[in-house]
Amino acid sequence: MRHSSKLPNVGTTIFTVMSALAHKYNAINLSQGFPNFKGDKKLIDLVSKAMNSGYNQYAPMSGSFVLRDALANKYDALYNTSYHPETEITITAGATQAIFTIITAFIKENDEVILFRPAYDCYEPAVTLNGGKSISVQLEAPAYKIDWNDVRAKISNTTKMIIINTPQNPSGTIFSEADMIQLHELTKGTDIIILSDEVYEHIIFDNEKHQSACLFTDLKSRSFITASFGKTFHNTGWKMGYCCAPEALMNEYRKVHQFNVFSVNHPMQIALAEYLQEPSHYKELSGFYQEKRNLFLSLIEGSKFEFIPSKGTYFQILSYASISDEYDLDFAKRLTTENGLAAIPLSVFNENRLDNKVLRFCFAKTDDTLKKAADILHHI
Ligand SMILES: Cc1ncc(COP(=O)(O)O)c(C=O)c1O
């Protein structure tokens, strides 16, 4: 059968490629972004309890009300802002599904979507599948600061959406309040939708404050926020997340969501609603990962890898520029096959595969794994 691909330039993702290579060569895998330690047994027990209590059939389309209500209370407590649990919050199969559904609900043929590179890999294919055009704002290594004049120059009357991600995967940088104000200034008075991917909202370091789009009234009125329980509660395999937006936007979102996934895992929603009643379950996360970041960085001190400490997420990028001028994908493959350590080359997230000799390492790993990884890095 002959068919023309809707995504001719897309192959297997780098995460699958590097994890398969890590498996084949029995390498330590700091490539894919998931913890290699267990999540809280209390939460697992709550899922069992929900299953045994009979929450085994379809949840409501927009999500179990108790969970939406718990999230509305969390936004109120953390950001002093309100999302109506009935009309402005939807529970999703991870942030990935929320992002895909948001883009599908709004992007039409030739609409332009601005994204900041290095960018997480699920944004662009969703834009392409819907006939839209991704417009890249390439951030410069090593600081990845946003040049707002560049953003201004790229906004046109066909700009339909701007996708932001703070804390940012893969760079480990964050948006400052000034960045959010710039974003507001550039988009006020327009209908440009902001998709604010905030999956790492609870993993932010050095007493920095997470700049959620919901903190800025005008931005909030045009924004979707996407979030992931997997990142926050150490269970990425559950694929549970949610999105929030003002009612008019959420109405359009749900038109697609109801046919895209209809509703998501019911017992986990019931369990998460109860687990969220205790704020320490997410408030302690930044401290927990800051210790992991500090440990990893202190362990690699004195190696030839250079870095600026990550400000958020559970990723640390390291420059190998003083070691080799090899293309980053080749260097990452060799690090895996010859030295037994897998990481992600940053070029895959950049415009035209720009290679700055930088790799991304996930430090959501046991201390023992981080020590073994650092040992390898010292010998490179
Ligand atoms: C920036 C970013 N957005 C979205 C996702 C997807 O989250 P989920 O696993 O909940 O689909 C990830 C996962 O790595 C991510 O890093």
Side-chain angles (χ1 to χ4, degrees):
M1 196 174 87
R2 276 164 179 264
H3 61 90
S4 68
S5 173
K6 292 183 81 175
L7 293 172
N9 301 321
V10 171
T12 312
T13 76
I14 189 69
F15 307 109
T16 307
V17 170
M18 292 312 299
S19 280
L21 207 60
H23 186 69
K24 184 169 169 197
Y25 286 86
N26 203 16
I28 295 171
N29 189 1
L30 301 198
S31 65
Q32 222 172 343
F34 60 84
N36 73 340
F37 43 82
K38 285 187 180 153
D40 191 350
K41 183 171 179 310
K42 256 193 283 179
L43 179 54
I44 293 171
D45 289 344
L46 286 172
V47 176
S48 301
K49 188 175 97 177
M51 285 180 172
N52 286 318
S53 308
Y55 290 97
N56 298 305
Q57 309 308 330
Y58 292 126
M61 185 269 278
S62 53
S64 154
F65 184 79
V66 283
L67 181 53
R68 286 182 282 137
D69 198 41
L71 291 169
N73 290 335
K74 179 168 168 273
Y75 274 99
D76 186 23
L78 285 186
Y79 302 111
N80 192 23
T81 194
S82 71
Y83 282 107
H84 197 288
E86 276 296 3
T87 52
E88 299 186 317
I89 300 176
T90 301
I91 311 303
T92 64
T96 312
Q97 182 248 309
I99 292 163
F100 192 87
T101 307
I102 293 163
I103 292 171
T104 303
F106 292 95
I107 297 306
K108 299 189 187 122
E109 197 72 19
N110 296 325
D111 281 344
E112 291 189 352
V113 178
I114 294 179
L115 40 95
F116 297 90
R117 293 189 176 280
Y120 184 61
D121 66 343
C122 81
Y123 310 142
E124 186 171 21
V127 173
T128 308
L129 280 173
N130 286 289
K133 287 190 190 145
S134 298
I135 306 293
S136 296
V137 173
Q138 177 66 52
L139 309 183
E140 271 181 44
Y144 300 99
K145 281 244 165 302
I146 296 169
D147 174 355
W148 288 101
N149 286 327
D150 189 13
V151 183
R152 177 182 290 112
K154 285 184 171 151
I155 293 179
S156 73
N157 51 15
T158 46
T159 305
K160 179 79 189 180
M161 184 179 283
I162 299 179
I163 304 180
I164 64 169
N165 171 216
T166 182
Q168 212 254 9
N169 173 16
S171 65
T173 56
I174 54 174
F175 272 52
S176 64
E177 186 179 6
D179 286 323
M180 297 303 282
I181 290 169
Q182 290 276 5
L183 179 65
H184 168 242
E185 286 297 313
L186 290 186
T187 57
K188 72 178 175 203
T190 72
D191 293 327
I192 296 173
I193 294 169
I194 309 298
L195 195 174
S196 184
D197 183 355
E198 303 186 12
V199 298
Y200 299 103
E201 76 181 300
H202 298 302
I203 311 180
I204 183 158
F205 309 135
D206 309 322
N207 297 317
E208 293 283 357
K209 184 173 165 215
H210 171 56
Q211 299 295 334
S212 173
C214 74
L215 288 168
F216 304 82
T217 312
D218 178 64
L219 278 182
K220 184 189 170 200
S221 71
R222 287 180 285 108
S223 292
F224 273 93
I225 290 175
T226 56
S228 171
F229 292 113
K231 307 290 177 193
T232 304
F233 296 138
H234 312 305
N235 48 32
T236 57
W238 291 11
K239 291 301 290 183
M240 295 294 293
Y242 57 94
C243 61
C244 310
E247 184 172 350
L249 292 178
M250 191 55 88
N251 281 344
E252 287 305 310
Y253 171 91
R254 287 182 182 171
K255 288 182 190 173
V256 180
H257 179 92
Q258 64 187 340
F259 297 118
N260 175 206
V261 63
F262 175 56
S263 72
V264 305
N265 193 304
H266 201 172
M268 286 177 184
Q269 294 192 49
I270 301 298
L272 286 162
E274 194 168 335
Y275 197 69
L276 280 169
Q277 301 306 318
E278 176 48 61
S280 65
H281 290 149
Y282 48 88
K283 284 192 167 164
E284 287 170 2
L285 199 65
S286 289
F288 172 80
Y289 275 122
Q290 186 167 313
E291 276 183 27
K292 293 250 174 237
R293 178 203 66 174
N294 291 351
L295 173 70
F296 185 54
L297 292 183
S298 69
L299 287 168
I300 62 171
E301 197 72 57
S303 78
K304 295 197 194 92
F305 289 86
E306 289 161 336
F307 57 81
I308 297 174
S310 169
K311 295 194 171 75
T313 75
Y314 44 48
F315 301 111
Q316 175 65 52
I317 58 173
L318 301 180
S319 163
Y320 63 88
S322 73
I323 302 170
S324 162
D325 58 10
E326 207 172 349
Y327 182 53
D328 67 357
L329 179 58
D330 297 333
F331 187 87
K333 283 187 175 164
R334 232 163 36 76
L335 188 64
T336 312
T337 58
E338 292 177 15
N339 304 97
L341 177 60
I344 299 286
L346 239 72
S347 63
V348 300
F349 305 108
N350 283 336
E351 192 175 20
N352 303 323
R353 302 257 156 157
L354 175 71
D355 171 24
N356 294 121
K357 317 291 173 213
V358 178
L359 304 182
R360 188 199 79 174
F361 295 79
C362 173
F363 55 79
K365 306 294 169 189
T366 61
D367 292 357
D368 187 48
T369 302
L370 294 177
K371 280 177 197 150
K372 286 184 183 143
D375 257 3
I376 294 173
L377 293 173
H378 272 285
H379 288 98
I380 307 291

